[in-house]
Amino acid sequence: MSTFGRVLIIGSGLGGLTLAQSLRRSGIDVAVFERDASPWERPQGYRLHLDTDAINAAREVLPSHLIALFEATSQFTEPFTTILTTDLSVVKRLPTHDEHGNVWPDRENSLHANVDRATLRQILMSGLDDVVHFGKKLEHYEDTSDGVTAYFSDGTTAHGDVLVGADGIRSAVRAQRAPHLTTVDAGITAIYGRLPLNAAQPRVPSETLNDIFAIASDDRKVFLGLGSVQFPTAPAQAAADCSPGTAMRDQDDYVVCIVGGRHQFFPNTDNLSGEQLRDIAARTVADWPDQAADLIRQGDAEAFFPVHMYSSVPGTLDAPTNVTLLGDAVHAMTPTLGRGANLAMRDAALLGRALRTVAAGNSKLDIALSHYERDMTAYGFSVVREAAQIGEQRMAQNRLPA
Ligand SMILES: Cc1cc2nc3c(=O)[nH]c(=O)nc-3n(C[C@H](O)[C@H](O)[C@H](O)COP(=O)(O)OP(=O)(O)OC[C@H]3O[C@@H](n4cnc5c(N)ncnc54)[C@H](O)[C@@H]3O)c2cc1C
């Protein structure tokens, strides 16, 4: 165990957990504080597209038995997005652009996988039972002469040398560390659901199930997005094979479906049942050939929920303190590129490396954090801008403020 002090991470999303795994691997004392009462309290979404960043971050921070579990439950895909007509036939397959700087020079550099978000989160949480504390909502923090103290809504506190805000788009840490950094409404609502793979298979071209994602849209820029999750090995079996003792909730193969567009096409999505939302999603594409609505109606009724999209407004971080940020807490973006989780995991791997150099006595904390924050904000906000531009073209997302 190193003599470096304790790191407090606020938020147990994909970024916070990746950092916790990295620090644990380096022997650095770490504690994670999550506002939810349990990992299952809220629906967190379904399929995620992982690229070189997230896949290499997982390979860098996880112990070998969890890497094996991660690979056994990831559907490695062809590097294309399929463009569909509104009758769900293929127009073309667009190659996916890769940008990973020099983060992974020694690793594979063009990787794509579709994974189940809950499965990935369970893998990232494995072995951290003594580290992750649920029911701990951060209210605020205070810099002290010997570090930083976090104050939680249940009246408890925690003290550490460094505090990391990995607390998502409405970050309480960002509100204090960088109150000038804001988020804006992207103007887009989406209804998010899923259907069993065997219900989708006869209704969509095979590319839809093998590529990263497939998308059809109309003149209103209303879109239907589809992406499959086909586990090479079912999660519970994969855990038994690769990491006995790791508890995994089982899942069947499925296809995620997202119907979205400007808010005006979805005037009422709050406080509705999944079945009502599925019905709205199908009615939104009622002018299309029947295939799209028919596909949506195959969805699991209880699985549909609404998402209102927001984006960070790019900016800068002030000089480093012993409080820093990662992932959506600093550079949230609309999901047009499928890169938010990838960048959160890239940030976590880089921040883990930076803190390791401090723990080893090879760098001072302020210098290590200033390099991390310079790089993270440069690539993070560049992808926020790119996601907004593509979002404007494809789904009429609001333009970011200049
Ligand atoms: C519909 C949709 C589809 C997407 N698809 C993709 C995709 O395919 N690929 C991709 O890379 N990205 C995708 N994203 C983006 C991705 O989900 C996010 O970028 C990613 O989850 C960010 O991870 P994070 O760890 O920074 O934050 P989060 O995952 O948001 O985690 C933040 C955590 O902090 C906790 N928290 C919040 N406030 C507090 C507090 N005050 N105290 C304590 N805990 C707190 C939260 O409960 C949560 O657990 C998608 C997003 C959406 C909405």
Side-chain angles (χ1 to χ4, degrees), residues 185-192 221-223 258-270 277 280 284 305-310 334 395-397:
D185 179 2
I188 305 296
T189 296
I191 296 176
Y192 204 47
K221 299 198 176 178
V222 164
F223 63 90
I258 308 173
V259 178
R262 297 284 310 167
H263 294 322
Q264 71 202 65
F265 301 117
F266 302 87
N268 169 24
T269 53
D270 292 331
L277 289 165
I280 292 174
T284 307
F305 66 90
V307 176
H308 305 293
M309 294 184 190
Y310 288 80
T334 50
M395 58 183 187
Q397 172 177 342

Side-chain angles (χ1 to χ4, degrees), residues 14 18 35 74 130 183 230 256 322 365:
L14 304 175
T18 303
R35 71 174 170 194
S74 297
D130 55 331
T183 59
Q230 300 171 66
V256 71
N322 52 358
L365 181 64

Side-chain angles (χ1 to χ4, degrees), residues 259-381:
V259 178
R262 297 284 310 167
H263 294 322
Q264 71 202 65
F265 301 117
F266 302 87
N268 169 24
T269 53
D270 292 331
N271 305 315
L272 298 181
S273 68
E275 194 171 355
Q276 289 168 315
L277 289 165
R278 183 180 66 181
D279 194 45
I280 292 174
R283 280 194 276 120
T284 307
V285 295
D287 291 347
W288 297 17
D290 292 344
Q291 288 90 330
D294 172 48
L295 184 76
I296 294 163
R297 292 194 196 283
Q298 306 305 314
D300 303 327
E302 70 284 3
F304 284 73
F305 66 90
V307 176
H308 305 293
M309 294 184 190
Y310 288 80
S311 172
S312 293
V313 179
T316 51
L317 277 176
D318 297 334
T321 67
N322 52 358
V323 175
T324 192
L325 297 161
L326 65 74
D328 277 11
V330 57
H331 48 58
M333 61 197 72
T334 50
T336 40
L337 300 171
R339 296 214 53 203
N342 288 287
L343 291 192
M345 291 176 71
R346 185 206 275 202
D347 296 350
L350 290 180
L351 182 55
R353 289 181 202 172
L355 293 174
R356 189 159 65 236
T357 62
V358 179
N362 295 328
S363 178
K364 291 193 165 168
L365 181 64
D366 58 343
I367 293 173
L369 289 184
S370 81
H371 289 168
Y372 160 72
E373 291 179 355
R374 178 199 60 202
D375 294 349
M376 177 272 290
T377 50
Y379 65 71
F381 287 132

Side-chain angles (χ1 to χ4, degrees), residues 10-17 33-36 42 44 47-50 117 121 136-139 152 166-173 190 192 258 305 307 309 326-329 332-333 335 337-344:
I10 309 302
S12 73
L14 304 175
L17 292 172
F33 299 93
E34 167 58 49
R35 71 174 170 194
D36 291 347
R42 276 177 308 117
Q44 304 248 326
R47 165 207 161 275
L48 278 177
H49 158 238
L50 299 189
R117 184 190 282 263
R121 194 155 177 249
K136 295 286 177 188
K137 180 178 181 202
L138 181 91
E139 292 281 331
F152 301 102
D167 49 345
I169 190 163
R170 276 172 268 284
S171 169
V173 180
Y192 204 47
I258 308 173
F305 66 90
V307 176
M309 294 184 190
L326 65 74
D328 277 11
M333 61 197 72
L337 300 171
R339 296 214 53 203
N342 288 287
L343 291 192

Side-chain angles (χ1 to χ4, degrees), residues 119-267:
T119 302
L120 175 62
R121 194 155 177 249
Q122 286 173 86
I123 295 170
L124 291 173
M125 220 173 255
S126 296
L128 298 179
D129 297 352
D130 55 331
V131 165
V132 184
H133 306 277
F134 290 97
K136 295 286 177 188
K137 180 178 181 202
L138 181 91
E139 292 281 331
H140 68 283
Y141 66 82
E142 247 174 53
D143 279 320
T144 62
S145 56
D146 63 344
V148 53
T149 303
Y151 292 82
F152 301 102
S153 57
D154 63 358
T156 59
T157 61
H159 189 75
D161 296 75
V162 177
L163 182 140
V164 180
D167 49 345
I169 190 163
R170 276 172 268 284
S171 169
V173 180
R174 183 190 66 236
Q176 218 179 318
R177 167 73 174 82
H180 59 286
L181 290 182
T182 54
T183 59
V184 284
D185 179 2
I188 305 296
T189 296
I191 296 176
Y192 204 47
R194 52 186 268 175
L195 58 150
L197 178 70
N198 58 14
Q201 255 159 347
R203 293 176 168 85
V204 294
S206 59
E207 290 87 341
T208 306
L209 306 176
N210 299 326
D211 285 349
I212 296 167
F213 201 58
I215 190 153
S217 63
D218 66 15
D219 294 344
R220 301 169 297 170
K221 299 198 176 178
V222 164
F223 63 90
L224 165 66
L226 302 164
S228 79
V229 173
Q230 300 171 66
F231 298 102
T233 310
Q237 183 60 49
D241 294 347
C242 306
S243 180
T246 303
M248 295 288 280
R249 287 195 174 191
D250 232 341
Q251 292 266 13
D252 292 327
D253 295 344
Y254 65 86
V255 173
V256 71
C257 81
I258 308 173
V259 178
R262 297 284 310 167
H263 294 322
Q264 71 202 65
F265 301 117
F266 302 87

